[in-house]
Amino acid sequence: MLHLLSVNDLTNDFLYSLWRDASKNKGKSNNLLKGKVLTNLFYEPSTRTSSSFYSAMSRSGGSVIPINNVQFSSVAKGESFEDTITTMSQMSDAIVVRHSENGAAERAAAVSSVPIINAGDGNSEHPTQTIIDGFTIYNFLNKDLSNLRVTLVGDLKNGRTVKSLVKLLSRFDNNHFNLVSPEHLKLSTSLPKSSYETTDINEVLKDTDLLYVTRVQKERGSVHDYSLSLNQLNELPKKSIVMHPFPRVNEIPVEFDKDKRAKYFEQIRFSVWCRQMLLQKVIK
Amino acid sequence: MLHLLSVNDLTNDFLYSLWRDASKNKGKSNNLLKGKVLTNLFYEPSTRTSSSFYSAMSRSGGSVIPINNVQFSSVAKGESFEDTITTMSQMSDAIVVRHSENGAAERAAAVSSVPIINAGDGNSEHPTQTIIDGFTIYNFLNKDLSNLRVTLVGDLKNGRTVKSLVKLLSRFDNNHFNLVSPEHLKLSTSLPKSSYETTDINEVLKDTDLLYVTRVQKERGSVHDYSLSLNQLNELPKKSIVMHPFPRVNEIPVEFDKDKRAKYFEQIRFSVWCRQMLLQKVIK
Amino acid sequence: MLHLLSVNDLTNDFLYSLWRDASKNKGKSNNLLKGKVLTNLFYEPSTRTSSSFYSAMSRSGGSVIPINNVQFSSVAKGESFEDTITTMSQMSDAIVVRHSENGAAERAAAVSSVPIINAGDGNSEHPTQTIIDGFTIYNFLNKDLSNLRVTLVGDLKNGRTVKSLVKLLSRFDNNHFNLVSPEHLKLSTSLPKSSYETTDINEVLKDTDLLYVTRVQKERGSVHDYSLSLNQLNELPKKSIVMHPFPRVNEIPVEFDKDKRAKYFEQIRFSVWCRQMLLQKVIK
């Protein structure tokens, strides 16, 4: 693999190898990328994702050029996106791109001489989040990622993390999906084989191994916000887990943070573990 | 000590140990924090302080995630301060926080799993500046920090560096304070035992071992600005020193910079020396 | 050399030594500046130049304090430029300065205790770009930088890279300059010995070893934009090279990028190679 643009670039072999390495290394620092330089090229601000890559690269012994507000920077002034990518590919060993337009990562890969890692483009893909989400399941549910009752709640139409996770989990055996969203924010990709759509979260809480919560952004014009109460969350089976790609606003009450089913902060910790392994695999 | 939130967290033993180490090391680079990651989380811009921590961490062999404009960043979008802190504590080994609200550092410490270093919250505390100010006195006046005539001038009401320095020097024997400010900007905390309040700096210049100058910010609505002339500064005893936490506007004329009593640039150099030792003590 | 402020600070001996080192090292990482800290102090945004220094410092084993929007930062609040420079010189081992005002680099050097590297001040100087441009010629045309037909096109009045390159190439034997610009954007410095001024690029394309293209910025009010077509570029001799300091807007069509005469992306790669060697020579 030269570039990581889509979940489709992630073979199961690659994923399992990365997850095994991450399990073994557990975020410990090493020197494998000493002297290497990563560019964090963020056209949309995303401090969480850029910091996670920053930490991962630093803990691998490398350096990061942080470009977090391209709209304020000179590379943006009249210059084409392709020229910016070509320029940064002359100066660094890999480029992490976050962009508001679908397909931006592919356009970057078309001209770059170094690996492009898609850190979210438009509402289409966010494959490194999927690596992390998969790893969280691998750790806390089962290493096969199979036989799971997966409840996805929120804006399933625009949420790129949801779409990528469904893509991933559909690869494995016997997973069932409960898709909970307002009518106008239903999953727009083709439905997975075993799935059930509803607008009412209460119908499916008990039938859940993994509750994956996302935010319904106000600008999407929803009256539902799917804020869950402690009582609702306590309907979840004891062995289930709750994930959230963050930021959270009101979807999960902070009182639930100490519950052993809450795994969203582990997800963040795992983001560094996994990206560290990814960078070490991708950068030559 | 896990967190450094207030001058009260700094025992004399800790301070002396840090100052002795800083005296010995003199800002030289080492590798003690290799593989460690510091987050610089600045809700208020402060290039001086963030750069000083950046340099200190770099000279200790570690890396820094620079988050300098949280208001423009995604961690701020609707996310609670506590979630931002929890998030960054999953990705790094310590967090330096600068915030405009009093008590922000305590709120951060309440949720963080890694050390929080308060780099100024509201007008209440700025303990690392106090470490530096104390070290400057330790170096240029006396190692006991005692028997000093200390003249503090400017906005004593809102200046957090002043309040913290008074707190520190009050611990040691026989220090006297001249407190010079406009009436409405007087020190609002309880007065130290031996102190004299005035609005007229000329009364006390000759009676000064340490002149600590701060700025009266225009927005505080003062007619006094306490800009000192070269003539006034030359009233100071030969063995006295002049400090300023910077930035300076007109308080001290640049012509005084070469005077051997001017120690404000040494203060800045010492900021890196001291923060280097602090990070090495705090980060595990 | 303590500071690099102007092309005049670059002796031929220094340049040849740097170019030989860069040819040998080819951008490989080393550890020569381990523990050293560079400040990137950019009063004007220039992601390309700041990233190039960042990469060069990182590949030398050192760290960079990135200050990319001084106008938004506290060092700018009421503080003099000189105090900002003095402050940063207490915290770092060298300072790269980019500023919108002519002479800013000299003002910085007057107060700094560490080396100042001018990364462009106003429309006067940009000496590190000249090192890179010279190195590109050294690599692709001849090591003597002599006997060249040099065609410079665009805004020759305000373009600091053009003025510095003319200064450099005038040192070497038997170079001829074709100066192509709108009437009101002619080279304003004294003309080199052998030179020919014109507004029509087509007159001189065949008589060119090096075509150096720059942008005519819209705000300069030109009707000419000197966008070159593929047909025009194909008039250039087979052994000629085409350079551009970037960003490009429409001056050179992307279809030409794959032509072996196009060397502008190599220029960017060389920017890191050369700045790496420069930092290693300048920082003690």
Side-chain angles (χ1 to χ4, degrees):
Chain A
M1 179 178 57
L2 178 57
H3 306 295
L4 174 52
L5 308 180
S6 158
V7 173
N8 299 328
D9 296 331
L10 295 166
T11 64
N12 290 0
D13 278 359
F14 182 89
L15 282 169
Y16 272 106
S17 160
L18 190 156
W19 292 337
R20 275 191 305 263
D21 292 352
S23 280
K24 216 178 288 176
N25 187 70
K26 294 184 196 309
K28 280 199 301 292
S29 295
N30 61 38
N31 236 349
L32 292 172
L33 298 180
K34 193 169 140 74
K36 300 294 183 183
V37 178
L38 177 70
T39 297
N40 255 359
L41 187 66
F42 279 62
Y43 284 80
E44 286 188 325
S46 174
T47 303
R48 189 180 330 278
T49 303
S50 67
S51 297
S52 169
F53 274 106
Y54 202 109
S55 181
M57 187 66 181
S58 298
R59 289 191 193 284
S60 305
S63 302
V64 182
I65 304 178
I67 309 181
N68 284 313
N69 285 295
V70 182
Q71 65 275 28
F72 297 132
S73 90
S74 64
V75 287
K77 274 194 223 145
E79 185 175 85
S80 72
F81 175 64
E82 279 78 4
D83 273 7
T84 302
I85 293 292
T86 310
T87 294
M88 295 315 301
S89 77
Q90 299 292 330
M91 298 186 186
S92 51
D93 300 294
I95 305 173
V96 173
V97 182
R98 169 79 148 234
H99 202 283
S100 57
E101 287 172 28
N102 292 6
E106 287 218 27
R107 285 172 57 202
V111 297
S112 176
S113 54
V114 300
I116 296 293
I117 297 172
N118 185 359
D121 56 343
N123 61 13
S124 62
E125 291 267 4
H126 193 3
T128 64
Q129 183 68 44
T130 312
I131 295 174
I132 297 154
D133 291 345
F135 183 67
T136 309
I137 296 165
Y138 172 95
N139 257 273
F140 293 118
L141 289 171
N142 73 60
K143 291 206 170 358
D144 293 337
L145 284 76
S146 61
N147 300 305
L148 298 170
R149 313 295 281 175
V150 181
T151 297
L152 300 144
V153 57
D155 178 353
L156 307 186
K157 185 176 171 198
N158 299 291
R160 52 193 168 197
T161 60
V162 162
K163 281 183 270 188
S164 296
L165 184 60
V166 169
K167 224 187 228 183
L168 177 75
L169 291 178
S170 296
R171 291 186 191 175
F172 299 97
D173 288 342
N174 203 27
N175 291 323
H176 171 77
F177 298 87
N178 298 312
L179 304 164
V180 187
S181 71
E183 276 297 335
H184 65 296
L185 297 175
K186 283 164 69 172
L187 195 66
S188 53
T189 55
S190 65
L191 287 190
K193 215 164 39 176
S194 172
S195 58
Y196 172 69
E197 292 188 297
T198 176
T199 60
D200 182 5
I201 180 74
N202 298 303
E203 277 185 35
V204 293
L205 281 169
K206 287 186 173 155
D207 185 37
T208 294
D209 298 311
L210 162 61
L211 178 66
Y212 194 93
V213 184
T214 67
R215 190 155 51 114
V216 177
Q217 296 183 314
K218 277 201 193 107
E219 57 267 35
R220 306 298 185 193
S222 179
V223 289
H224 311 253
D225 67 353
Y226 292 100
S227 299
L228 296 161
S229 67
L230 258 190
N231 280 343
Q232 285 177 301
L233 288 162
N234 279 325
E235 296 283 303
L236 290 167
K238 290 268 182 257
K239 301 254 172 191
S240 68
I241 67 172
V242 178
M243 293 168 61
H244 191 308
F246 266 50
R248 119 179 106 176
V249 183
N250 297 311
E251 303 87 47
I252 301 172
V254 295
E255 291 74 22
F256 190 69
D257 294 358
K258 303 277 182 209
D259 193 290
K260 71 184 190 352
R261 289 166 291 188
K263 298 300 186 195
Y264 29 92
F265 292 130
E266 267 86 355
Q267 255 178 301
I268 297 172
R269 189 150 49 93
F270 289 167
S271 79
V272 179
W273 297 19
C274 288
R275 286 179 174 132
Q276 210 180 335
M277 295 303 111
L278 177 69
L279 293 169
Q280 292 173 19
K281 282 175 184 292
V282 161
I283 296 176
K284 303 297 163 207
Chain B
M1 179 179 55
L2 177 58
H3 306 295
L4 173 53
L5 308 179
S6 158
V7 172
N8 299 329
D9 296 330
L10 296 165
T11 64
N12 290 0
D13 278 359
F14 182 89
L15 281 169
Y16 273 106
S17 160
L18 190 156
W19 292 337
R20 275 190 305 264
D21 292 353
S23 281
K24 215 178 289 177
N25 187 70
K26 293 183 196 309
K28 280 199 300 291
S29 295
N30 61 39
N31 235 350
L32 292 172
L33 298 180
K34 191 169 141 75
K36 299 295 182 182
V37 178
L38 177 70
T39 296
N40 256 358
L41 187 65
F42 279 62
Y43 284 80
E44 287 188 324
S46 174
T47 303
R48 188 180 331 279
T49 304
S50 66
S51 297
S52 169
F53 274 107
Y54 201 109
S55 181
M57 187 66 180
S58 298
R59 290 189 192 286
S60 305
S63 302
V64 182
I65 304 178
I67 309 180
N68 284 312
N69 284 295
V70 181
Q71 67 274 29
F72 297 132
S73 91
S74 64
V75 287
K77 273 193 223 144
E79 184 175 85
S80 73
F81 176 64
E82 278 78 4
D83 272 7
T84 302
I85 293 291
T86 310
T87 293
M88 295 315 302
S89 77
Q90 299 291 331
M91 298 186 186
S92 51
D93 300 293
I95 305 174
V96 174
V97 182
R98 168 79 148 234
H99 202 283
S100 57
E101 287 171 27
N102 292 7
E106 288 218 28
R107 285 173 56 202
V111 297
S112 176
S113 54
V114 300
I116 297 292
I117 297 172
N118 185 358
D121 57 343
N123 60 13
S124 63
E125 289 267 6
H126 193 3
T128 63
Q129 183 68 45
T130 311
I131 295 175
I132 297 154
D133 291 345
F135 183 67
T136 309
I137 296 165
Y138 173 94
N139 257 274
F140 293 118
L141 288 172
N142 73 59
K143 292 204 169 0
D144 293 336
L145 284 76
S146 61
N147 300 303
L148 298 170
R149 314 294 281 175
V150 181
T151 298
L152 300 145
V153 58
D155 177 354
L156 307 186
K157 185 177 171 199
N158 300 291
R160 52 193 168 199
T161 60
V162 162
K163 281 183 271 189
S164 297
L165 183 60
V166 169
K167 224 186 229 184
L168 177 75
L169 291 178
S170 296
R171 293 186 191 175
F172 299 98
D173 288 342
N174 203 26
N175 290 323
H176 171 78
F177 299 87
N178 298 312
L179 304 164
V180 186
S181 72
E183 277 297 335
H184 66 296
L185 296 175
K186 282 164 69 171
L187 196 67
S188 53
T189 55
S190 66
L191 287 189
K193 215 165 37 177
S194 172
S195 59
Y196 172 70
E197 292 188 297
T198 176
T199 59
D200 183 5
I201 180 74
N202 297 304
E203 277 186 34
V204 292
L205 282 169
K206 286 184 173 156
D207 185 36
T208 294
D209 298 311
L210 161 61
L211 177 67
Y212 195 92
V213 183
T214 68
R215 190 154 52 112
V216 177
Q217 295 183 316
K218 278 201 193 107
E219 58 266 36
R220 305 299 185 193
S222 178
V223 291
H224 310 253
D225 67 353
Y226 291 99
S227 298
L228 295 160
S229 66
L230 258 190
N231 280 344
Q232 284 177 302
L233 289 162
N234 278 325
E235 296 283 303
L236 290 166
K238 291 266 181 258
K239 301 255 172 192
S240 68
I241 68 171
V242 177
M243 292 168 63
H244 190 308
F246 266 50
R248 122 179 102 176
V249 181
N250 297 310
E251 303 87 47
I252 300 172
V254 295
E255 291 74 22
F256 190 70
D257 295 358
K258 303 276 182 210
D259 193 290
K260 71 184 189 353
R261 289 166 291 189
K263 298 301 185 196
Y264 29 91
F265 292 131
E266 267 87 356
Q267 254 177 302
I268 297 172
R269 190 149 49 93
F270 289 167
S271 79
V272 179
W273 296 19
C274 288
R275 286 180 175 132
Q276 211 179 335
M277 295 302 111
L278 177 69
L279 292 169
Q280 292 173 19
K281 281 175 185 291
V282 162
I283 296 176
K284 302 297 164 206
Chain C
M1 179 177 59
L2 178 58
H3 306 295
L4 173 53
L5 308 180
S6 157
V7 173
N8 299 328
D9 296 331
L10 296 165
T11 64
N12 290 359
D13 278 359
F14 183 89
L15 281 168
Y16 272 105
S17 160
L18 190 157
W19 291 338
R20 274 190 306 263
D21 291 353
S23 281
K24 216 179 286 176
N25 187 71
K26 293 183 196 309
K28 279 199 301 292
S29 293
N30 62 38
N31 235 352
L32 292 173
L33 297 181
K34 192 171 141 74
K36 299 295 184 183
V37 178
L38 177 70
T39 296
N40 256 358
L41 187 65
F42 279 63
Y43 284 80
E44 287 188 325
S46 174
T47 303
R48 189 180 330 278
T49 303
S50 66
S51 297
S52 169
F53 274 106
Y54 202 108
S55 180
M57 187 66 181
S58 298
R59 290 189 192 285
S60 305
S63 302
V64 183
I65 304 177
I67 309 180
N68 284 313
N69 285 295
V70 182
Q71 66 276 28
F72 297 132
S73 91
S74 64
V75 286
K77 273 194 224 145
E79 184 176 86
S80 72
F81 175 64
E82 278 78 5
D83 272 7
T84 301
I85 293 291
T86 311
T87 294
M88 296 314 303
S89 78
Q90 299 291 331
M91 297 186 186
S92 50
D93 301 293
I95 305 173
V96 173
V97 182
R98 169 78 147 234
H99 203 284
S100 57
E101 286 172 28
N102 293 6
E106 288 217 26
R107 286 172 56 201
V111 297
S112 176
S113 54
V114 300
I116 296 293
I117 297 173
N118 185 358
D121 56 343
N123 61 13
S124 63
E125 291 267 5
H126 194 1
T128 64
Q129 183 68 44
T130 311
I131 294 175
I132 297 154
D133 291 345
F135 183 66
T136 309
I137 296 165
Y138 173 94
N139 257 272
F140 293 118
L141 289 172
N142 73 59
K143 293 207 169 358
D144 292 336
L145 284 76
S146 60
N147 301 304
L148 298 170
R149 315 293 283 174
V150 180
T151 298
L152 300 145
V153 57
D155 178 353
L156 307 187
K157 186 176 169 198
N158 300 290
R160 51 195 169 197
T161 60
V162 162
K163 282 184 270 189
S164 297
L165 183 60
V166 169
K167 225 187 227 183
L168 177 75
L169 291 178
S170 296
R171 293 185 191 175
F172 299 98
D173 289 342
N174 203 27
N175 290 323
H176 171 77
F177 299 87
N178 298 312
L179 304 164
V180 187
S181 73
E183 276 298 334
H184 66 297
L185 296 175
K186 283 163 71 171
L187 195 67
S188 53
T189 56
S190 65
L191 287 190
K193 214 165 39 177
S194 172
S195 59
Y196 172 70
E197 291 188 297
T198 176
T199 60
D200 183 4
I201 180 73
N202 297 303
E203 277 185 35
V204 292
L205 282 169
K206 287 186 173 155
D207 185 36
T208 294
D209 298 311
L210 162 60
L211 177 68
Y212 195 93
V213 184
T214 68
R215 191 155 51 113
V216 177
Q217 296 183 315
K218 278 203 193 106
E219 57 267 35
R220 305 299 185 192
S222 178
V223 290
H224 310 253
D225 67 353
Y226 290 101
S227 298
L228 294 160
S229 67
L230 258 190
N231 279 345
Q232 284 177 302
L233 288 162
N234 278 326
E235 296 283 303
L236 290 167
K238 291 266 182 259
K239 303 254 170 191
S240 68
I241 68 172
V242 178
M243 292 167 63
H244 190 307
F246 265 51
R248 119 179 106 174
V249 182
N250 297 310
E251 303 87 47
I252 301 173
V254 294
E255 291 74 21
F256 190 70
D257 294 358
K258 302 276 183 210
D259 193 290
K260 70 185 190 354
R261 289 166 292 188
K263 298 301 185 196
Y264 29 91
F265 292 131
E266 267 86 355
Q267 255 177 300
I268 296 172
R269 190 150 48 94
F270 289 167
S271 79
V272 179
W273 296 18
C274 288
R275 286 179 174 132
Q276 212 180 335
M277 295 302 111
L278 177 69
L279 292 169
Q280 292 173 19
K281 282 173 184 292
V282 161
I283 296 176
K284 302 297 163 208

